[in-house]
Amino acid sequence: MIDLHTHILPGLDDGAQDLKESLNMANMAAKNGTKIIVATPHRNLPGYKKRGAEDIKAAFEALKSGIEVVGLDVRVLCGSENFGSRDIADKLDSGQLLTINGTRYVLVEFDFDERVEEIFAITDLLLRSGYIPIVAHPERYSCFYEDLSGLYELYSFGAVLQINKGSVLGHFGRRVQYVADAILSHRLAAVAASDAHDIYDRTPDLSEFAEILDIRYGEGCSPLLLEENPKRIIEGREVFWESPVPFE
Protein backbone atom coordinates (compact mmCIF):
# COMPACT_ATOMS: atom_id res chain seq x y z
CA MET A 1 0.00 0.00 0.00
CA ILE A 2 0.96 3.64 -0.47
CA ASP A 3 0.01 6.23 2.15
CA LEU A 4 -0.31 9.54 0.33
CA HIS A 5 -1.08 11.81 3.31
CA THR A 6 0.91 11.67 6.58
CA HIS A 7 2.42 13.98 9.16
CA ILE A 8 5.45 11.83 9.79
CA LEU A 9 8.32 14.31 9.44
CA PRO A 10 9.85 15.21 12.82
CA GLY A 11 9.26 18.55 14.48
CA LEU A 12 7.46 20.38 11.68
CA ASP A 13 3.78 20.42 12.66
CA ASP A 14 1.24 18.66 14.91
CA GLY A 15 2.45 15.23 13.77
CA ALA A 16 5.67 13.47 14.83
CA GLN A 17 7.55 15.64 17.31
CA ASP A 18 11.00 14.04 16.95
CA LEU A 19 12.87 11.51 14.85
CA LYS A 20 12.15 8.66 17.29
CA GLU A 21 8.41 9.19 16.89
CA SER A 22 8.80 9.42 13.12
CA LEU A 23 10.62 6.10 13.03
CA ASN A 24 7.99 4.49 15.26
CA MET A 25 5.34 5.63 12.79
CA ALA A 26 7.34 4.30 9.86
CA ASN A 27 7.82 0.98 11.64
CA MET A 28 4.07 0.66 12.33
CA ALA A 29 3.26 1.44 8.70
CA ALA A 30 5.79 -1.08 7.38
CA LYS A 31 4.61 -3.86 9.70
CA ASN A 32 1.05 -3.41 8.47
CA GLY A 33 1.70 -3.53 4.75
CA THR A 34 2.56 0.03 3.70
CA LYS A 35 5.48 0.13 1.26
CA ILE A 36 5.62 3.86 0.48
CA ILE A 37 4.83 6.81 2.75
CA VAL A 38 4.44 10.34 1.42
CA ALA A 39 5.36 12.91 4.07
CA THR A 40 2.97 15.86 3.82
CA PRO A 41 3.52 18.38 6.65
CA HIS A 42 1.16 21.33 6.98
CA ARG A 43 2.18 24.38 4.95
CA ASN A 44 0.70 27.81 4.29
CA LEU A 45 -1.68 27.68 7.29
CA PRO A 46 -2.63 31.19 8.48
CA GLY A 47 -1.00 31.93 11.82
CA TYR A 48 0.93 28.64 11.78
CA LYS A 49 4.63 28.56 12.59
CA LYS A 50 6.35 29.15 9.29
CA ARG A 51 8.64 26.42 8.00
CA GLY A 52 10.37 26.75 4.67
CA ALA A 53 10.76 24.13 1.97
CA GLU A 54 14.38 23.71 3.12
CA ASP A 55 13.18 22.78 6.63
CA ILE A 56 10.97 20.09 5.12
CA LYS A 57 13.76 18.74 2.98
CA ALA A 58 16.14 18.59 5.96
CA ALA A 59 13.57 16.72 8.07
CA PHE A 60 12.86 14.42 5.13
CA GLU A 61 16.53 13.54 4.70
CA ALA A 62 16.85 12.86 8.44
CA LEU A 63 13.90 10.47 8.36
CA LYS A 64 15.09 8.82 5.15
CA SER A 65 18.54 8.20 6.70
CA GLY A 66 16.96 6.91 9.92
CA ILE A 67 14.83 4.42 8.00
CA GLU A 68 17.92 3.14 6.20
CA VAL A 69 19.90 2.81 9.45
CA VAL A 70 17.10 0.91 11.21
CA GLY A 71 16.48 -1.19 8.10
CA LEU A 72 12.74 -0.67 7.73
CA ASP A 73 11.09 -2.04 4.59
CA VAL A 74 9.40 1.21 3.59
CA ARG A 75 10.23 4.18 1.37
CA VAL A 76 9.43 7.78 2.20
CA LEU A 77 8.70 10.48 -0.39
CA CYS A 78 8.34 14.23 0.06
CA GLY A 79 5.39 16.58 -0.34
CA SER A 80 3.28 18.92 1.77
CA GLU A 81 -0.34 19.53 2.72
CA ASN A 82 -0.92 23.09 1.52
CA PHE A 83 -3.64 25.36 2.85
CA GLY A 84 -5.78 26.69 0.02
CA SER A 85 -5.25 30.40 -0.61
CA ARG A 86 -5.53 32.71 -3.60
CA ASP A 87 -1.72 32.83 -3.94
CA ILE A 88 -1.18 29.07 -3.68
CA ALA A 89 -0.26 28.66 -7.36
CA ASP A 90 2.33 31.45 -7.16
CA LYS A 91 3.88 29.84 -4.09
CA LEU A 92 4.00 26.48 -5.84
CA ASP A 93 5.60 28.06 -8.91
CA SER A 94 8.29 29.69 -6.77
CA GLY A 95 9.03 26.51 -4.78
CA GLN A 96 7.75 27.88 -1.47
CA LEU A 97 5.19 25.07 -1.39
CA LEU A 98 5.73 21.48 -2.48
CA THR A 99 3.82 19.13 -4.75
CA ILE A 100 3.61 15.35 -4.24
CA ASN A 101 7.01 13.86 -5.12
CA GLY A 102 7.74 16.70 -7.53
CA THR A 103 4.71 15.95 -9.73
CA ARG A 104 1.85 18.25 -10.74
CA TYR A 105 -0.31 16.79 -7.96
CA VAL A 106 -0.91 19.18 -5.04
CA LEU A 107 -2.40 18.09 -1.71
CA VAL A 108 -4.59 21.00 -0.64
CA GLU A 109 -6.69 21.49 2.48
CA PHE A 110 -9.20 24.15 3.50
CA ASP A 111 -10.67 25.61 6.65
CA PHE A 112 -13.33 23.19 7.87
CA ASP A 113 -15.92 25.98 7.63
CA GLU A 114 -14.77 27.32 4.25
CA ARG A 115 -17.46 28.38 1.78
CA VAL A 116 -17.98 25.97 -1.07
CA GLU A 117 -17.51 28.80 -3.57
CA GLU A 118 -13.98 29.41 -2.26
CA ILE A 119 -13.11 25.71 -2.48
CA PHE A 120 -14.32 25.68 -6.08
CA ALA A 121 -12.42 28.90 -6.90
CA ILE A 122 -9.06 27.65 -5.57
CA THR A 123 -9.55 24.24 -7.19
CA ASP A 124 -10.17 26.00 -10.50
CA LEU A 125 -7.15 28.27 -9.95
CA LEU A 126 -4.86 25.29 -9.43
CA LEU A 127 -6.18 23.50 -12.50
CA ARG A 128 -5.76 26.59 -14.69
CA SER A 129 -2.20 26.94 -13.36
CA GLY A 130 -1.29 23.45 -14.53
CA TYR A 131 -1.61 21.63 -11.21
CA ILE A 132 -3.89 18.76 -10.23
CA PRO A 133 -5.46 19.40 -6.81
CA ILE A 134 -5.89 16.52 -4.41
CA VAL A 135 -8.54 17.80 -2.00
CA ALA A 136 -7.65 16.46 1.45
CA HIS A 137 -10.52 14.98 3.50
CA PRO A 138 -13.46 16.75 1.78
CA GLU A 139 -15.79 14.82 4.09
CA ARG A 140 -14.68 17.08 6.96
CA TYR A 141 -15.76 20.38 5.35
CA SER A 142 -19.07 21.66 6.71
CA CYS A 143 -20.27 22.98 3.34
CA PHE A 144 -20.58 19.41 2.09
CA TYR A 145 -22.61 18.31 5.11
CA GLU A 146 -25.27 20.75 3.96
CA ASP A 147 -25.16 19.92 0.24
CA LEU A 148 -23.64 16.65 -0.91
CA SER A 149 -24.10 17.61 -4.56
CA GLY A 150 -21.15 19.98 -4.21
CA LEU A 151 -18.92 16.92 -3.96
CA TYR A 152 -20.02 15.74 -7.38
CA GLU A 153 -19.32 19.20 -8.77
CA LEU A 154 -15.83 19.16 -7.22
CA TYR A 155 -15.18 15.78 -8.82
CA SER A 156 -16.47 17.11 -12.16
CA PHE A 157 -13.91 19.94 -12.03
CA GLY A 158 -11.15 17.33 -12.16
CA ALA A 159 -10.14 17.44 -8.49
CA VAL A 160 -8.90 14.25 -6.87
CA LEU A 161 -10.85 13.56 -3.68
CA GLN A 162 -8.84 11.99 -0.83
CA ILE A 163 -10.72 10.22 1.98
CA ASN A 164 -9.26 9.89 5.49
CA LYS A 165 -9.07 6.58 7.34
CA GLY A 166 -10.37 8.15 10.55
CA SER A 167 -13.43 9.53 8.79
CA VAL A 168 -14.52 6.12 7.52
CA LEU A 169 -13.87 4.50 10.90
CA GLY A 170 -16.00 7.12 12.69
CA HIS A 171 -13.22 8.87 14.60
CA PHE A 172 -14.49 12.33 13.65
CA GLY A 173 -18.15 11.75 14.42
CA ARG A 174 -21.20 10.43 12.63
CA ARG A 175 -21.69 13.42 10.37
CA VAL A 176 -18.19 13.14 8.89
CA GLN A 177 -18.60 9.37 8.60
CA TYR A 178 -21.88 9.87 6.75
CA VAL A 179 -20.30 12.21 4.19
CA ALA A 180 -17.31 9.87 3.75
CA ASP A 181 -19.72 7.02 3.09
CA ALA A 182 -21.59 9.14 0.54
CA ILE A 183 -18.33 9.96 -1.30
CA LEU A 184 -17.30 6.31 -1.42
CA SER A 185 -20.77 4.97 -2.26
CA HIS A 186 -21.08 7.42 -5.16
CA ARG A 187 -17.61 6.47 -6.46
CA LEU A 188 -16.19 9.98 -6.15
CA ALA A 189 -13.03 9.19 -4.16
CA ALA A 190 -9.81 8.50 -6.06
CA VAL A 191 -7.47 8.11 -3.06
CA ALA A 192 -7.64 7.09 0.59
CA ALA A 193 -4.94 7.76 3.20
CA SER A 194 -4.22 7.66 6.91
CA ASP A 195 -3.55 11.38 7.59
CA ALA A 196 -1.40 9.88 10.35
CA HIS A 197 -0.09 12.06 13.17
CA ASP A 198 1.15 9.51 15.75
CA ILE A 199 1.12 5.81 16.73
CA TYR A 200 -1.67 6.03 19.30
CA ASP A 201 -4.71 7.81 17.89
CA ARG A 202 -4.27 8.88 14.26
CA THR A 203 -1.95 6.07 13.22
CA PRO A 204 -0.35 5.03 9.90
CA ASP A 205 -1.74 1.47 10.20
CA LEU A 206 -3.85 0.99 7.05
CA SER A 207 -4.57 -2.75 7.43
CA GLU A 208 -7.99 -2.54 9.11
CA PHE A 209 -8.96 0.37 6.90
CA ALA A 210 -8.21 -1.61 3.74
CA GLU A 211 -10.37 -4.50 4.94
CA ILE A 212 -13.29 -2.23 5.75
CA LEU A 213 -13.10 -0.47 2.38
CA ASP A 214 -13.33 -3.83 0.60
CA ILE A 215 -16.15 -5.12 2.81
CA ARG A 216 -18.29 -2.01 2.50
CA TYR A 217 -17.54 -0.84 -1.03
CA GLY A 218 -16.35 -3.91 -2.95
CA GLU A 219 -13.16 -5.94 -3.18
CA GLY A 220 -11.57 -3.58 -5.69
CA CYS A 221 -11.90 -0.52 -3.47
CA SER A 222 -8.71 -0.73 -1.39
CA PRO A 223 -6.47 -1.80 -4.31
CA LEU A 224 -7.68 1.24 -6.26
CA LEU A 225 -7.59 3.84 -3.47
CA LEU A 226 -4.58 2.61 -1.50
CA GLU A 227 -2.40 1.11 -4.23
CA GLU A 228 -3.09 1.85 -7.91
CA ASN A 229 -4.10 5.51 -7.80
CA PRO A 230 -1.51 6.57 -5.19
CA LYS A 231 1.14 4.85 -7.35
CA ARG A 232 -0.07 6.77 -10.39
CA ILE A 233 0.04 10.02 -8.44
CA ILE A 234 3.60 9.67 -7.18
CA GLU A 235 4.65 8.79 -10.74
CA GLY A 236 2.82 11.81 -12.15
CA ARG A 237 0.34 9.76 -14.18
CA GLU A 238 -3.42 10.21 -14.51
CA VAL A 239 -5.51 8.43 -11.91
CA PHE A 240 -8.20 5.89 -12.73
CA TRP A 241 -11.58 7.59 -12.50
CA GLU A 242 -14.60 5.48 -11.63
CA SER A 243 -17.99 6.22 -13.18
CA PRO A 244 -19.68 8.25 -10.45
CA VAL A 245 -23.24 7.95 -9.21
CA PRO A 246 -24.69 11.51 -9.22
CA PHE A 247 -26.50 12.73 -6.12
CA GLU A 248 -30.25 13.14 -6.41
Side-chain angles (χ1 to χ4, degrees):
M1 293 182 287
I2 299 172
D3 197 349
L4 206 71
H5 180 176
T6 70
H7 297 271
I8 194 172
L9 292 187
L12 291 181
D13 58 13
D14 56 345
Q17 295 305 294
D18 53 37
L19 183 57
K20 181 180 179 181
E21 187 172 9
S22 296
L23 290 171
N24 285 336
M25 290 174 69
N27 182 51
M28 176 180 281
K31 283 186 174 180
N32 288 282
T34 297
K35 296 298 183 183
I36 299 175
I37 299 169
V38 182
T40 54
H42 290 294
R43 293 296 314 283
N44 206 36
L45 277 172
Y48 205 77
K49 186 176 181 180
K50 294 189 181 298
R51 300 279 190 178
E54 292 306 316
D55 296 314
I56 293 178
K57 291 173 182 176
F60 169 74
E61 290 299 332
L63 177 57
K64 184 179 176 182
S65 296
I67 287 173
E68 291 174 357
V69 169
V70 176
L72 298 179
D73 185 21
V74 66
R75 289 172 57 206
V76 61
L77 302 176
C78 200
S80 60
E81 181 182 17
N82 306 299
F83 187 81
S85 61
R86 292 299 179 115
D87 60 353
I88 187 172
D90 292 336
K91 289 181 176 179
L92 286 162
D93 289 344
S94 65
Q96 296 177 61
L97 301 178
L98 302 177
T99 63
I100 299 293
N101 196 35
T103 67
R104 293 186 300 126
Y105 285 96
V106 179
L107 185 65
V108 57
E109 67 172 332
F110 299 92
D111 187 283
F112 291 139
D113 293 319
E114 185 60 87
R115 296 179 304 112
V116 69
E117 293 84 3
E118 187 68 8
I119 293 175
F120 290 163
I122 292 174
T123 298
D124 181 62
L125 171 65
L126 285 167
L127 288 164
R128 287 189 291 104
S129 300
Y131 296 102
I132 305 172
I134 303 172
V135 178
H137 42 64
E139 71 276 7
R140 299 187 68 187
Y141 304 135
S142 61
C143 60
F144 297 128
Y145 307 160
E146 300 158 6
D147 184 6
L148 292 172
S149 65
L151 293 161
Y152 181 77
E153 195 168 347
L154 193 61
Y155 166 95
S156 299
F157 280 174
V160 174
L161 304 190
Q162 178 258 303
I163 293 287
N164 269 13
K165 175 184 80 169
S167 302
V168 175
L169 299 184
H171 296 169
F172 300 111
R174 291 183 179 179
R175 187 165 60 170
V176 172
Q177 188 177 34
Y178 167 75
V179 179
D181 176 70
I183 293 171
L184 290 163
S185 298
H186 288 262
R187 302 291 188 260
L188 298 176
V191 180
S194 71
D195 193 1
H197 283 63
D198 52 54
I199 60 169
Y200 303 105
D201 182 27
R202 299 174 68 176
T203 78
D205 180 358
L206 291 172
S207 57
E208 178 190 8
F209 183 39
E211 291 178 8
I212 288 175
L213 286 175
D214 290 339
I215 290 169
R216 293 182 185 174
Y217 307 103
E219 291 184 1
C221 188
S222 73
L224 179 64
L225 302 189
L226 293 173
E227 297 174 28
E228 182 61 36
N229 274 343
K231 184 174 187 292
R232 287 174 165 270
I233 287 169
I234 64 175
E235 293 175 352
R237 296 186 289 143
E238 185 176 355
V239 299
F240 279 134
W241 298 98
E242 295 190 275
S243 298
V245 180
F247 292 101
E248 294 295 335

